[in-house]
Amino acid sequence: MTMYEAGVPGADVAEGRGLVPDSGKVRGGGVVTAGAPKTLVLLTALLLALLPLLLLPALPASAADAKPEVKLSRAQAGKGGDITVSGTGWRPGTLLMMLICGQALPAGGVIGGTNSCANSDGRAVTTDAKGSFSKEMPVAEPPKPCPCVVHVATVTGEQTVVDAPFTVAGHPTAPLPRQTGAGRLAVLAAARLEGDSGVLVFFGAPPSRRLEFTVGNLGSAPVRDPVFQVGTAHGVFAPQWEEQQWRGTIAPGQKVQVKLPVQLSAGAHGDYQVSVKYGTKVLVEQPWGVGRPWGVTIFWLLLAVVVPAAVFRIGMAIVDRLRPRGNGRHRTVRLPAFRRPGSRSRTRPPAAPKSTTTTTAALPWFTPDSAPSENRSTTKGHS
């Protein structure tokens, strides 16, 4: 007995017979075979439709991973010449500072920080929407000998630095100073300012922060109790350095987080830059924006209003106390009435003067002509 005769499902498939082309089904078990190509076509179309959506997020990520680059029009030039500095891969709309620095290498950075650069001949440039820039700058001799670089760094925001090798023709050349000691510290992570100054800064109290950064010992010997120099600079002025010792030991290959307090003077406001230097190498440069202490301005405005009012009240009290008083009552002064020209006088006419002579009242039974008079004689009793 064959599988088909026994009614086993799929027997006609095993024997290769009994297929129905119209229905696409196998007689024994009902397996769909003709609908499979349609399913594959639908899945392929769906994948092709979703493929652009899957690729779009990857495009910005590749652009964001681009590293900042700097290119020079000439690798060597003398003092008084000009070079064109161009760059790509920077953050859009970022203000950059370009300086020619001595005693520096692209791999090791600028030894001594911006003190080794020709700051007076530096240039500033802002990147475009694509993160690119191109700017001419004059060639100047830095205060330190070469090897030299064109130092390009961000002014605000996250610190980004790129150094391009450059040779100043005719400028002295000297080997880089060796690092003292076997231990060598380097910054491994971006620095940040933590903490809050409080409400009193609004009224002119000294602003304070805590500078945190991670350093690692790249040398072969441990570094014990390193002494850092912390400096704050405002505008174009050089930083004022202050030594601060960090307690601890950094073993070779070890990294630690260093926290150093930073404090400005009372009433400080504006854009500041905090720098940390170890030995002769600047490790950290972090911008710090401090708001204006408006509470001091409000205090002076209130003082300008309250003090004159208080002086006026005190003066009036003194005058009122020293003013003479009579019989316990205030004397009032009557001012003359003011009369407009052409107006009628509202004053009463002066009263007639009283007569000093006495008049005799007339008797009711006499008329005025027939009344007896004191000087006239009568007919009777006349002597």
Side-chain angles (χ1 to χ4, degrees):
M1 182 186 304
T2 62
M3 296 175 62
Y4 177 76
E5 293 176 355
V8 179
D12 50 348
V13 178
E15 297 182 3
R17 53 189 174 83
L19 296 177
V20 182
D22 296 339
S23 60
K25 296 180 181 180
V26 182
R27 291 181 179 179
V31 180
V32 179
T33 58
K38 295 182 179 180
T39 305
L40 293 176
V41 171
L42 292 176
L43 290 175
T44 305
L46 183 61
L47 290 175
L48 292 176
L50 295 178
L51 185 60
L53 298 178
L54 296 176
L55 293 178
L56 283 178
L59 294 178
S62 61
D65 295 339
K67 295 182 179 179
E69 296 181 356
V70 173
K71 295 181 180 180
L72 306 179
S73 59
R74 291 188 293 173
Q76 180 178 355
K79 180 181 179 181
D82 294 328
I83 59 173
T84 301
V85 183
S86 58
T88 57
W90 297 81
R91 295 193 308 270
T94 303
L95 180 62
L96 304 178
M97 175 183 61
M98 303 186 303
L99 299 171
I100 297 179
C101 304
Q103 208 172 56
L105 287 175
V110 180
I111 299 177
T114 55
N115 292 333
S116 303
C117 306
N119 297 315
S120 59
D121 295 315
R123 291 293 182 268
V125 64
T126 304
T127 58
D128 56 14
K130 297 181 180 180
S132 304
F133 70 92
S134 181
K135 180 80 172 182
E136 288 188 358
M137 66 176 303
V139 178
E141 293 184 352
K144 299 293 183 179
C146 286
C148 301
V149 296
V150 175
H151 181 77
V152 181
T154 56
V155 178
T156 58
E158 184 180 356
Q159 184 74 13
T160 305
V161 178
V162 175
D163 296 328
F166 180 70
T167 302
V168 180
H171 191 62
T173 303
L176 295 177
R178 295 182 180 181
Q179 298 288 339
T180 58
R184 186 162 57 93
L185 298 182
V187 177
L188 304 180
R192 62 182 183 274
L193 291 171
E194 297 291 341
D196 191 7
S197 300
V199 184
L200 295 179
V201 178
F202 186 74
F203 297 95
S208 61
R209 289 291 188 276
R210 185 176 62 255
L211 181 63
E212 299 180 0
F213 56 96
T214 303
V215 297
N217 187 1
L218 305 181
S220 58
V223 178
R224 295 180 176 87
D225 299 335
V227 178
F228 297 96
Q229 294 183 5
V230 181
T232 55
H234 181 54
V236 297
F237 297 99
Q240 301 294 329
W241 301 103
E242 179 184 3
E243 292 186 354
Q244 295 188 17
Q245 187 175 18
W246 184 81
R247 298 292 181 179
T249 302
I250 306 175
Q254 183 186 6
K255 62 179 181 179
V256 296
Q257 188 179 30
V258 179
K259 300 179 181 180
L260 301 176
V262 182
Q263 185 174 0
L264 301 178
S265 59
H269 62 277
D271 295 330
Y272 285 80
Q273 186 171 7
V274 182
S275 305
V276 176
K277 184 169 62 173
Y278 179 70
T280 58
K281 181 180 180 181
V282 177
L283 300 179
V284 175
E285 289 182 345
Q286 181 69 21
W288 183 10
V290 183
R292 182 181 294 272
W294 292 107
V296 179
T297 305
I298 297 175
F299 171 78
W300 286 112
L301 291 177
L302 293 177
L303 192 65
V305 174
V306 173
V307 171
V311 172
F312 176 77
R313 294 295 300 272
I314 294 173
M316 293 301 296
I318 294 174
V319 171
D320 185 68
R321 191 175 185 86
L322 298 178
R323 184 171 52 188
R325 293 181 176 88
N327 298 328
R329 292 184 299 176
H330 295 284
R331 298 179 61 185
T332 57
V333 179
R334 182 173 297 176
L335 300 177
F338 175 76
R339 183 174 62 182
R340 296 180 180 178
S343 60
R344 296 180 179 179
S345 177
R346 295 184 180 180
T347 58
R348 295 180 179 180
K354 295 182 179 181
S355 178
T356 57
T357 59
T358 58
T359 58
T360 304
L363 296 177
W365 55 85
F366 292 103
T367 60
D369 297 336
S370 60
S373 175
E374 294 179 356
N375 299 326
R376 192 176 61 179
S377 61
T378 57
T379 58
K380 294 181 179 183
H382 179 68
S383 57

